Amino acid sequence: MEKILVLGGTGKTGRRVVRHLKAAGMPVSAASRTGGDVAFDLGRPETWARALDGAAAVYIVEPDLRPGLDRRARVPALVAEAVAAGARRLVLLSAHGVGEAGDDHPLKSAEQAVRESGVGWTLLRPDWFSQNFSEAFWRQGILAGTLALPTGDGRTPFVDAEDIAEVAAAALTDERHSGRIYYLTGPRAIAFGEAADLIGRATGRTIRHVDVDPEVFVERQVANGVPSDVARLLTGLLVNIRDGRGAAPSDGVEHALGRPPRRFEDYVAEAAAAGHWN
């Protein structure tokens, strides 16, 4: 068996992809700036060759979505080097809405490079991760008891990162996923207020969602050290949900894995039991 390289191998999806591959007995290498099996930094091309050496399949993540970043110098260049080094299968973690967006979407050039690579490819387009409530952006609000976001009563079908990772692991090891684009969501769309209520019940605490004016939200992020362009990008994505333009539930997980996606309620129960909101 030939090596599978997981970029961002210590991150939210990457570490889960590594775990699934190891459980299946596959030879996998976790690449990361720190803490992985091999050092890798997408912003430092001199780190690529050692990580790519011997990799027959590569899981690709673009960690920096800042507007204005030179996209041609990152994932497209990496894809070219990976194929030249012998990779025959590429799986890209993309995002919901890339296919409908204009050429200015930060992941558009990455998708194009993977699809035109000349080797087997799979695109994953997930909705907002359920784990954002317990491992990332919104955890502090949950811990504080107030989740203040410019989302109103808008709904979206949060997807469990475990489902994303399992689909990625399947795509990295099974040719039947080649040439496929998987839209990955949970089974139903829910509002942030309902998400807060579910987490509150699971933790025995009062947690409320408060709608925030988008400009106020941008100002708060900038005050907390988030670059202005990144703050506006994130705010715009959240306002899309507020305006009813959130993703619709899709059957991507079921098509890829032959089972329904995990429910948000199940994620909440597991995260609460694991102490993520203690």
Side-chain angles (χ1 to χ4, degrees), residues 13 31 108 132 154-155 178 189 197 260 276:
T13 62
K108 197 80 168 187
N132 286 339
R155 304 165 70 86
S178 288
D197 288 343
H276 287 295

Side-chain angles (χ1 to χ4, degrees), residues 11-56:
K12 193 178 298 147
T13 62
R15 71 176 189 273
R16 291 176 164 92
V17 175
V18 169
R19 173 162 44 79
H20 280 288
L21 292 170
K22 285 184 175 179
M26 305 302 294
V28 57
S29 179
S32 178
R33 283 180 296 210
T34 58
D37 301 314
V38 61
F40 177 89
D41 186 336
L42 190 57
R44 297 176 57 213
E46 66 270 19
T47 67
W48 299 356
R50 181 167 176 265
L52 291 168
D53 184 35

